[in-house]
Amino acid sequence: MRHFRASLLRASLLASLSVIPASEGFARSRSAAVKPGAPATVTVDYGIALAGIPIGTAQVSGQFESARYRMDVSARLTGLVGAVTGGMGSARASGLIAEGPQPSAFAISTKTSNSGIAVRMALARGNVTLSEVTPPLIDMGDRVPVTPANKRGIVDPASALMMPAVSRGDLTDQANCNRTIPVFDGATRFNVVLSYGETRSIEKPGYAGPVLVCNARYQAIAGHRPDRPGVKFMEDNRDMSVWLAPVEGTRVLLPVRIAVRTTMGTNIIEATRWNRGGGQTGTARAPEGPGSVPVVQATLVDQ
């Protein structure tokens, strides 16, 4: 049962995966106009469903000012699943915006009814200078070693949700899908490889316009246990996608939908409200350290 609960929480809180000014005729957010020079902020509320059954909620809040960003993520499992697992979590990341996020600080923690984990990292332009996992992972002797090179040029799971546009053209340019995101969660190093699928138009409370639909693949690099069934399942998984929408007043895209096939059914995390310029409305706050509010586990697959 403990293994099932941990796997369910990881699958359900996949929003911690990982993501331009809108022109006058393109993807305008249904909110107040952006004041020149003011920080661009956005808060997106999500519903989490597994195999078509609602099991939780999540929220991503981003603040973008000049070349700097801050991302706050919170999630909670609800209903029967929440009652059984007690799953909840929150995370915070900050850093610089370049061709991709260059994080300088990251903190995340998770809690279920019988376990919890917290991670803190300090970074210099995406290079890890200090990493702490509490409690430490048990060394089973079968993990792929994490080398110093695996900790350079990486993105943390919260920063991975914030995707600067890589194309100087239209925001619907498929180049904004085609990228590899090098993620390190404090224990495991993996790539999320995105490729262009299609462009769709959506309508959500607070946002209406086109979104990029990107196909996603998982590549294990280090820190994982290669013989674990969950790792192999995710590496072979072809049924993953993320839909990206522009944040008005920035050159940044955020997810409005993440879909991942799991061994328990398809996990879908989909925006229910897009609030440009609003404050947080969620129940969980990002942690300041390992002993603070519990947070979602960063990794995609079973440890």
Side-chain angles (χ1 to χ4, degrees):
M1 176 63 73
R2 181 177 180 180
H3 171 78
F4 172 79
R5 291 175 183 174
S7 298
L8 179 61
L9 180 59
R10 277 189 282 272
S12 301
L13 301 183
L14 190 59
S16 294
L17 161 75
S18 83
V19 273
I20 39 194
S23 62
E24 195 60 32
F26 183 85
R28 294 280 307 186
S29 174
R30 294 176 178 173
S31 58
V34 181
K35 295 180 180 180
T41 61
V42 64
T43 299
V44 187
D45 297 320
Y46 299 88
I48 305 173
L50 182 63
I53 301 174
I55 61 169
T57 60
Q59 184 181 87
V60 172
S61 294
Q63 180 171 312
F64 314 102
E65 184 173 11
S66 185
R68 303 198 64 83
Y69 73 90
R70 191 182 81 185
M71 295 289 292
D72 290 297
V73 182
S74 63
R76 180 186 297 273
L77 300 184
T78 59
L80 179 61
V81 173
V84 171
T85 67
M88 61 179 295
S90 59
R92 171 170 291 178
S94 59
L96 299 174
I97 302 175
E99 292 184 359
Q102 293 184 345
S104 58
F106 170 68
I108 189 170
S109 66
T110 61
K111 183 178 181 181
T112 64
S113 57
N114 59 3
S115 65
I117 189 170
V119 177
R120 295 179 66 184
M121 287 196 295
L123 309 96
R125 294 183 177 270
N127 300 319
V128 178
T129 58
L130 180 65
S131 179
E132 178 186 65
V133 181
T134 307
L137 295 179
I138 299 175
D139 184 5
M140 305 298 291
D142 59 350
R143 294 186 183 276
V144 176
V146 177
T147 67
N150 295 144
K151 300 180 182 181
R152 297 186 61 82
I154 61 89
V155 177
D156 64 81
S159 297
L161 295 170
M162 189 272 298
M163 300 191 194
V166 297
S167 170
R168 295 182 180 274
D170 292 339
L171 303 182
T172 51
D173 191 326
Q174 69 183 52
N176 290 323
C177 263
N178 298 331
R179 69 181 80 199
T180 296
I181 306 173
V183 183
F184 180 62
D185 63 13
T188 56
R189 169 72 176 82
F190 58 93
N191 287 339
V192 177
V193 182
L194 301 181
S195 60
Y196 177 74
E198 61 177 318
T199 301
R200 293 190 178 190
S201 292
I202 67 166
E203 186 168 349
K204 299 283 184 182
Y207 177 86
V211 297
L212 289 173
V213 179
C214 310
N215 301 316
R217 292 292 308 279
Y218 168 82
Q219 292 180 340
I221 303 297
H224 61 289
R225 300 166 67 186
D227 293 334
R228 298 289 288 183
V231 174
K232 185 169 180 57
F233 177 87
M234 288 301 296
E235 287 186 311
D236 294 338
N237 197 346
R238 300 293 194 276
D239 193 7
M240 297 187 288
S241 64
V242 57
W243 298 13
L244 300 175
V247 177
E248 185 182 1
T250 76
R251 293 287 295 176
V252 167
L253 300 127
L254 290 179
V256 292
R257 188 179 192 268
I258 298 172
V260 177
R261 180 170 58 89
T262 76
T263 56
M264 296 170 286
T266 300
N267 186 195
I268 296 178
I269 302 166
E270 188 158 9
T272 57
R273 180 173 297 277
W274 180 283
N275 184 10
R276 171 66 176 85
Q280 292 197 24
T281 58
T283 57
R285 294 180 62 84
E288 297 300 333
S292 59
V293 180
V295 198
V296 333
Q297 184 156 343
T299 188
L300 286 171
V301 298
D302 190 9
Q303 295 288 337

